[in-house]
C-alpha cells in the first residue's frame, strides 16, 4: 500500500485533534489539523479589522494572508505570513472568527491544495469538517467522530480552564452550538458524515478508549484494502 490517508471529520470538541494526533503517533502517520489553517486566516481577518459578517471583506483580506502548515520534528506548526501563530489561534475569539471565514467559498478554495498536497506526500490522519466529503473524497479510511454536545462542551471547558481562560460552561456550550450550527448549515462544504464514513461516538469513552477505537477502525479498513 502507498501513502494511506485517513479522514476524520466531526463537530466542535469531539476530540478530533487529540485523538487523531495520538492515533497518528501510534501508527507512524503524520497528523494534520486543517482547522488551524482556517484559524490562521481568521486571525489575519481579526488583526486587519475585517467585518466578519461580510464575506466580501473576508475574501478581500485573503491575498495578504499566506497560511502554511510546516512539520517541525513531525509536529504541525501553523504559519501566517511567516509568523508561527500556532498558539495565538486557540482563543475563543479566533474560534468564532474561524467559523465565519470557513463559510466563505474563496477561503475554502484557497486552502484546498495545501491540504491535498500534504496527503499526497505523506501517510496522514487529517481532521476537519469536509475532509472525507471534499478534500480527500478517496481517502482510504473515513471516520465521523462525535459525542453528545454537553460532553463535548465539558471537554472544551476543561481545556480552556486549564489554559487559564476565564469562561463559563454555559458560554462554552453556547459557542459550541453556534459554531456547530454555522458549520453544518453553510452552503459550501458543510459538516456532514460522508456516506462511506464509519460513525465513531465517543460519548461514553475515555481518551484511551477513543484512540483505540480510531486505531481499530483504521486497521480494519486498511486490511480490507490490502
Ligand atoms: O477544528 P477547529 O475548531 O480548529 O476548526 C475551526 C473552524 O474551521 C471551525 O469552525 C470549522 C472550520 N473548519 C472547516 O470549515 N473545515 C475544516 N476542514 C476544518 C475546520
Amino acid at each position: 500500500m502507498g501513502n494511506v490517508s485517513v479522514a476524520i471529520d466531526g463537530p466542535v470538541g469531539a476530540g478530533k485533534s487529540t485523538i487523531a494526533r495520538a492515533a497518528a503517533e501510534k501508527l507512524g502517520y503524520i497528523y494534520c489539523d486543517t482547522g488551524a489553517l482556517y484559524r490562521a486566516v481568521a486571525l489575519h481577518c481579526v488583526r486587519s479589522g475585517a467585518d466578519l459578517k461580510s464575506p466580501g471583506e473576508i475574501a478581500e483580506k485573503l491575498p495578504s494572508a499566506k497560511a502554511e502548515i510546516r512539520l517541525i520534528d513531525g509536529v504541525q506548526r501553523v504559519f501566517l505570513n511567516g509568523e508561527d501563530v500556532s498558539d495565538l489561534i486557540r482563543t475563543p475569539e479566533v474560534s468564532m472568527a474561524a467559523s465565519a471565514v470557513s463559510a466563505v467559498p474563496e477561503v475554502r478554495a484557497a486552502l484546498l491544495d495545501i491540504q491535498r498536497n500534504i496527503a499526497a506526500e505523506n501517510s496522514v490522519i487529517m481532521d476537519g469538517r469536509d475532509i472525507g466529503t471534499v478534500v480527500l473524497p478517496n481517502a482510504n479510511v473515513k471516520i465521523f467522530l462525535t459525542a453528545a454536545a454537553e460532553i463535548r462542551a465539558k471537554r472544551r471547558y476543561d481545556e480552556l480552564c486549564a489554559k487559564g481562560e476565564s469562561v463559563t460552561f454555559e458560554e462554552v456550550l453556547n459557542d459550541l452550538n453556534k459554531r456547530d450550527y454555522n458549520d453544518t448549515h453553510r452552503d459550501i462544504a458543510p459538516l456532514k458524515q460522508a456516506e462511506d464514513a464509519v460513525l465513531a461516538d465517543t460519548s461514553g469513552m475515555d481518551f484511551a478508549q477513543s484512540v483505540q477505537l480510531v486505531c481499530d477502525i483504521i486497521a480494519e479498513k486498511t486490511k480490507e484494502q490490502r
Side-chain angles (χ1 to χ4, degrees), residues 7-11 129 142-146 191-194 197-201:
I8 300 189
D9 293 301
R129 302 292 188 288
K142 297 182 187 178
I143 299 173
F144 193 82
L145 196 70
T146 191
L191 169 65
K192 67 166 187 252
Q193 183 177 346
V198 178
L199 179 67
D201 187 327

Short mmCIF file of all heavy atoms in Angstrom, two decimals, residues 7-11 129 142-146 191-194 197-201:
data_model
loop_
_atom_site.label_atom_id
_atom_site.label_comp_id
_atom_site.label_asym_id
_atom_site.label_seq_id
_atom_site.Cartn_x
_atom_site.Cartn_y
_atom_site.Cartn_z
N ALA A 7 -9.32 10.25 6.86
CA ALA A 7 -10.07 11.49 7.03
C ALA A 7 -10.92 11.38 8.29
O ALA A 7 -11.68 10.44 8.44
CB ALA A 7 -10.98 11.72 5.83
N ILE A 8 -10.74 12.34 9.19
CA ILE A 8 -11.59 12.36 10.39
C ILE A 8 -12.34 13.68 10.44
O ILE A 8 -11.74 14.75 10.50
CB ILE A 8 -10.75 12.20 11.68
CG1 ILE A 8 -10.00 10.86 11.65
CG2 ILE A 8 -11.66 12.27 12.91
CD1 ILE A 8 -9.32 10.48 12.96
N ASP A 9 -13.64 13.59 10.35
CA ASP A 9 -14.48 14.79 10.43
C ASP A 9 -15.39 14.67 11.65
O ASP A 9 -15.64 13.58 12.15
CB ASP A 9 -15.34 14.92 9.16
CG ASP A 9 -14.48 15.20 7.94
OD1 ASP A 9 -13.78 16.22 7.94
OD2 ASP A 9 -14.50 14.38 6.99
N GLY A 10 -15.89 15.82 12.08
CA GLY A 10 -16.82 15.81 13.20
C GLY A 10 -16.99 17.20 13.76
O GLY A 10 -16.28 18.12 13.37
N PRO A 11 -17.94 17.34 14.67
CA PRO A 11 -18.26 18.67 15.22
C PRO A 11 -17.21 19.17 16.20
O PRO A 11 -16.28 18.45 16.55
CB PRO A 11 -19.60 18.44 15.92
CG PRO A 11 -19.58 17.01 16.31
CD PRO A 11 -18.80 16.30 15.24
N ARG A 129 -13.70 19.26 8.83
CA ARG A 129 -15.16 19.16 8.71
C ARG A 129 -15.57 18.54 7.37
O ARG A 129 -16.64 17.95 7.25
CB ARG A 129 -15.81 20.55 8.77
CG ARG A 129 -15.50 21.35 10.02
CD ARG A 129 -16.15 20.72 11.25
NE ARG A 129 -16.03 21.56 12.44
CZ ARG A 129 -14.90 21.78 13.10
NH1 ARG A 129 -13.78 21.21 12.71
NH2 ARG A 129 -14.89 22.55 14.18
N LYS A 142 -12.41 6.71 6.32
CA LYS A 142 -13.14 7.92 6.72
C LYS A 142 -13.86 7.65 8.03
O LYS A 142 -14.56 6.64 8.15
CB LYS A 142 -14.17 8.30 5.65
CG LYS A 142 -13.56 8.66 4.32
CD LYS A 142 -14.65 9.08 3.35
CE LYS A 142 -14.06 9.27 1.95
NZ LYS A 142 -15.10 9.64 0.98
N ILE A 143 -13.66 8.55 8.96
CA ILE A 143 -14.29 8.39 10.28
C ILE A 143 -15.05 9.67 10.61
O ILE A 143 -14.52 10.77 10.42
CB ILE A 143 -13.22 8.10 11.36
CG1 ILE A 143 -12.48 6.80 11.03
CG2 ILE A 143 -13.85 8.04 12.76
CD1 ILE A 143 -11.28 6.51 11.93
N PHE A 144 -16.27 9.53 11.08
CA PHE A 144 -17.02 10.68 11.56
C PHE A 144 -17.07 10.56 13.08
O PHE A 144 -17.71 9.67 13.63
CB PHE A 144 -18.43 10.71 10.97
CG PHE A 144 -19.12 12.02 11.18
CD1 PHE A 144 -18.87 13.10 10.33
CD2 PHE A 144 -20.01 12.21 12.24
CE1 PHE A 144 -19.50 14.34 10.51
CE2 PHE A 144 -20.64 13.44 12.43
CZ PHE A 144 -20.38 14.50 11.57
N LEU A 145 -16.30 11.44 13.73
CA LEU A 145 -16.10 11.33 15.17
C LEU A 145 -17.01 12.32 15.89
O LEU A 145 -16.96 13.52 15.61
CB LEU A 145 -14.63 11.66 15.47
CG LEU A 145 -14.10 11.28 16.83
CD1 LEU A 145 -13.98 9.76 16.94
CD2 LEU A 145 -12.73 11.91 17.05
N THR A 146 -17.80 11.81 16.80
CA THR A 146 -18.70 12.73 17.50
C THR A 146 -18.92 12.28 18.95
O THR A 146 -18.42 11.24 19.38
CB THR A 146 -20.05 12.86 16.74
OG1 THR A 146 -20.78 13.94 17.29
CG2 THR A 146 -20.86 11.58 16.78
N LEU A 191 -20.38 20.65 7.28
CA LEU A 191 -20.02 19.45 8.05
C LEU A 191 -21.11 18.41 7.89
O LEU A 191 -22.28 18.66 8.20
CB LEU A 191 -19.91 19.83 9.54
CG LEU A 191 -19.81 18.64 10.51
CD1 LEU A 191 -18.52 17.86 10.29
CD2 LEU A 191 -19.91 19.11 11.95
N LYS A 192 -20.75 17.25 7.36
CA LYS A 192 -21.70 16.12 7.34
C LYS A 192 -20.92 14.82 7.22
O LYS A 192 -19.78 14.82 6.75
CB LYS A 192 -22.74 16.28 6.23
CG LYS A 192 -22.23 16.21 4.82
CD LYS A 192 -23.43 16.03 3.88
CE LYS A 192 -22.95 15.77 2.47
NZ LYS A 192 -23.15 16.84 1.54
N GLN A 193 -21.56 13.76 7.64
CA GLN A 193 -20.89 12.47 7.58
C GLN A 193 -20.85 11.99 6.13
O GLN A 193 -21.90 11.95 5.47
CB GLN A 193 -21.64 11.46 8.46
CG GLN A 193 -20.97 10.10 8.52
CD GLN A 193 -21.70 9.13 9.45
OE1 GLN A 193 -22.54 9.53 10.26
NE2 GLN A 193 -21.36 7.87 9.33
N ALA A 194 -19.67 11.64 5.63
CA ALA A 194 -19.59 11.08 4.28
C ALA A 194 -20.33 9.74 4.27
O ALA A 194 -20.38 9.05 5.29
CB ALA A 194 -18.12 10.87 3.89
N ALA A 197 -18.30 6.91 5.51
CA ALA A 197 -17.55 7.10 6.76
C ALA A 197 -18.10 6.20 7.86
O ALA A 197 -19.29 5.91 7.89
CB ALA A 197 -17.64 8.57 7.20
N VAL A 198 -17.20 5.78 8.74
CA VAL A 198 -17.62 5.00 9.90
C VAL A 198 -17.96 5.98 11.02
O VAL A 198 -17.18 6.89 11.31
CB VAL A 198 -16.46 4.07 10.38
CG1 VAL A 198 -16.87 3.30 11.64
CG2 VAL A 198 -16.02 3.14 9.26
N LEU A 199 -19.11 5.82 11.65
CA LEU A 199 -19.50 6.71 12.75
C LEU A 199 -18.86 6.23 14.05
O LEU A 199 -19.01 5.06 14.42
CB LEU A 199 -21.03 6.71 12.89
CG LEU A 199 -21.58 7.58 14.03
CD1 LEU A 199 -21.34 9.05 13.75
CD2 LEU A 199 -23.06 7.32 14.22
N ALA A 200 -18.12 7.12 14.70
CA ALA A 200 -17.50 6.77 15.98
C ALA A 200 -18.00 7.75 17.04
O ALA A 200 -17.65 8.92 17.01
CB ALA A 200 -15.98 6.83 15.86
N ASP A 201 -18.84 7.27 17.95
CA ASP A 201 -19.39 8.12 19.01
C ASP A 201 -18.63 7.81 20.30
O ASP A 201 -18.69 6.70 20.81
CB ASP A 201 -20.89 7.84 19.17
CG ASP A 201 -21.54 8.81 20.14
OD1 ASP A 201 -20.87 9.25 21.11
OD2 ASP A 201 -22.72 9.15 19.94
#
